């Protein structure tokens, strides 16, 4: 007797029945870029299909995202001005703070997450305060905590520190609690690698470092055990959700993280991963939609519960069709 696994691949209905991994729009977090100004919906060249919005236009986009069954957005800010300490990041009238209020006003049930980092707000483009040419850890985490509180105050449901300073999850958690925001959740970019895949994002958010790179704070792509150490630390410090970033070249890390923790696990399908698919599809070299769904499925299969992805709307449309 021949063992015939092909019996379970015979028809679409049988394949549906035995499919191990499902992807759904409610697994997605849609990233959004908000710029200072009014009436803006500006295409981002390096991320085809993505736009920069202003606080007054972003809620229209969020309505569409909501209508597609996507429960959550994560906001990145492009401020009106930058300085050495990134002070526009914790201003009550800052661009992200204004966007949060507009979104919560128009689509109250949308889960609004904010990226907490200084790189979009500092004149030098590094993720913290500089002492000479190095980023000062302990001064930086105080400013990150201040930024997190100002997002919570504006109405964010969740804050997501992406800077990779040591102790920032604890500092953010403590400051949120002290200021009365015990119910604001923290999604930690726990295992965030110093990656070439962030290229298009830095264009979109105008956040490329003016000198050097981020290797003295983000993780070395060669390290896997260290990711688990970072995840453990963030959980001890009070993270509610942990994240691995990027996703596609780090599926082994996602799997290891899944085995490490009972917390919800997020993976960030980053800008370079999106741009590669878009560029190849434009050239007719791959079927973009098919590859998109294959990638999202692979990230879920590796063990992620939640996927931050620029494909959110497009994939939701495909999945509902
Ligand atoms: C901010 C931040 C970055 C990304 C998310 N938050 C850029 C970076 O670390 O340089 C990258 C997201 C993407 O590439 O899609 N620190």
């Amino acid at each position: 007797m021949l063992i015939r696994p092909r019996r379970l691949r015979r028809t679409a209905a049988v394949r549906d029945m035995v499919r191990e991994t499902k992807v759904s729009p409610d697994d997605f977090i849609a990233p959004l870029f908000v710029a200072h100004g009014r009436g803006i919906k500006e295409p981002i060249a390096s991320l085809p299909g993505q736009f920069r919005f202003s606080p007054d236009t972003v809620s229209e986009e969020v309505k569409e995202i909501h209508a597609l069954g996507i429960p959550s957005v994560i906001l990145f800010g492009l401020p009106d001005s930058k300085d050495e300490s990134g002070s526009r990041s914790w201003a009550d009238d800052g661009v992200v703070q204004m966007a949060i209020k507009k979104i919560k006003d128009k689509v109250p049930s949308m889960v609004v997450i904010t990226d907490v980092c200084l790189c979009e707000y500092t004149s030098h483009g590094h993720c913290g305060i500089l002492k000479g040419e190095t980023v000062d850890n302990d001064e930086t985490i105080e400013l990150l905590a201040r930024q997190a509180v100002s997002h919570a105050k504006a109405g964010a449901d969740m804050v997501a520190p992406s800077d990779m300073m040591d102790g920032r999850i604890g500092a953010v958690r403590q400051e949120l609690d002290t200021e009365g925001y015990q119910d604001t959740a923290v999604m930690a970019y726990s295992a965030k690698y110093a990656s070439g895949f962030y290229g298009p994002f830095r264009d979109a958010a105008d956040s490329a470092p003016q000198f050097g790179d981020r290797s003295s704070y983000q993780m070395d792509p060669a390290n896997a055990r260290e990711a688990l150490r970072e995840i453990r630390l963030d959980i001890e410090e009070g993270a509610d959700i942990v994240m691995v970033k990027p996703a596609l070249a780090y599926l082994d890390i996602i799997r290891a993280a899944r085995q490490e923790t009972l917390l919800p696990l997020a993976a960030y399908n980053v800008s370079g991963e999106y741009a590669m698919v878009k560029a190849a599809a434009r050239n007719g070299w791959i079927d973009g939609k098919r590859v998109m769904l294959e990638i999202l499925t692979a990230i879920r299969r590796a063990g992620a519960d939640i996927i931050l992805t620029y494909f959110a709307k497009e994939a939701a449309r495909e999945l509902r069709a």
Side-chain angles (χ1 to χ4, degrees):
M1 184 198 63
L2 188 64
I3 306 291
R4 298 185 186 277
R6 285 183 57 192
R7 280 182 201 125
L8 299 183
R9 298 179 204 137
R10 264 183 59 236
T11 67
V14 174
R15 290 193 294 274
D16 279 350
M17 199 179 139
V18 300
R19 183 161 302 122
E20 297 174 35
T21 307
K22 302 221 163 122
V23 181
S24 149
D26 55 33
D27 304 327
F28 301 150
I29 299 174
L32 288 174
F33 298 95
V34 221
H36 192 80
R38 294 185 65 83
I40 300 171
K41 184 178 177 181
E42 183 192 356
I44 300 168
S46 57
L47 294 171
Q50 305 296 312
F51 299 85
R52 290 191 197 91
F53 297 95
S54 42
D56 59 328
T57 57
V58 75
S59 47
E60 279 310 305
E61 179 70 7
V62 173
K63 277 186 202 161
E64 277 182 35
I65 290 170
H66 183 71
L68 286 164
I70 299 159
S72 177
V73 294
I74 182 164
L75 305 180
F76 298 93
L78 285 90
D80 45 353
S81 64
K82 306 191 187 219
D83 59 25
E84 288 283 303
S85 61
S87 64
R88 292 300 290 159
S89 71
W90 60 80
D92 282 342
D93 63 346
V95 65
V96 165
Q97 288 81 353
M98 291 195 303
I100 298 167
K101 287 184 199 140
K102 293 272 188 201
I103 294 169
K104 279 290 171 187
D105 194 36
K106 296 275 162 44
V107 196
S109 65
M110 182 54 74
V111 179
V112 177
I113 308 174
T114 57
D115 184 83
V116 170
C117 195
L118 290 173
C119 63
E120 297 130 58
Y121 303 90
T122 51
S123 40
H124 44 74
H126 276 287
C127 300
I129 295 293
L130 291 180
K131 282 277 160 67
E133 297 224 328
T134 51
V135 174
D136 186 276
N137 194 87
D138 300 11
E139 271 189 36
T140 298
I141 64 178
E142 281 179 35
L143 301 183
L144 294 167
R146 196 183 294 181
Q147 184 185 150
V149 166
S150 99
H151 292 167
K153 187 174 161 200
D157 298 287
M158 207 178 283
V159 293
S162 68
D163 51 284
M164 288 302 278
M165 298 301 126
D166 295 331
R168 90 270 208 221
I169 300 303
V172 163
R173 183 69 270 160
Q174 193 184 350
E175 196 65 11
L176 286 171
D177 289 353
T178 306
E179 296 297 320
Y181 300 103
Q182 292 87 349
D183 293 333
T184 306
V186 178
M187 177 167 76
Y189 284 76
S190 300
K192 178 173 178 180
Y193 288 87
S195 172
F197 286 101
Y198 308 150
F201 173 97
R202 291 182 188 168
D203 245 13
D206 185 27
S207 66
Q210 297 303 303
F211 66 89
D213 58 26
R214 307 210 199 289
S215 306
S216 75
Y217 39 104
Q218 299 179 346
M219 282 181 54
D220 182 338
N223 294 355
R225 295 192 309 264
E226 191 187 349
L228 299 183
R229 184 168 185 234
E230 286 285 4
I231 287 168
R232 279 178 204 171
L233 286 169
D234 285 356
I235 293 170
E236 277 167 27
E237 291 176 31
D240 299 286
I241 299 176
V242 292
M243 193 202 298
V244 172
K245 177 188 175 188
L248 198 45
Y250 298 83
L251 294 175
D252 57 327
I253 310 297
I254 295 174
R255 168 52 58 89
R258 175 68 293 155
Q259 284 160 353
E260 170 69 25
T261 177
L262 300 177
L263 293 186
L265 175 64
Y268 201 140
N269 175 214
V270 299
S271 58
E273 300 171 23
Y274 174 86
M276 287 194 304
V277 174
K278 288 290 171 195
R282 262 190 188 179
N283 278 297
W285 294 338
I286 59 171
D287 174 344
K289 285 201 194 320
R290 184 172 170 186
V291 169
M292 164 184 80
L293 293 176
E294 190 172 331
I295 287 173
L296 295 170
T297 302
I299 295 169
R300 291 271 294 124
R301 192 195 63 227
D305 304 296
I306 302 166
I307 308 175
L308 297 90
T309 180
Y310 304 95
F311 288 120
K313 281 174 75 184
E314 196 181 340
R317 280 197 196 98
E318 276 309 292
L319 292 165
R320 304 185 124 209

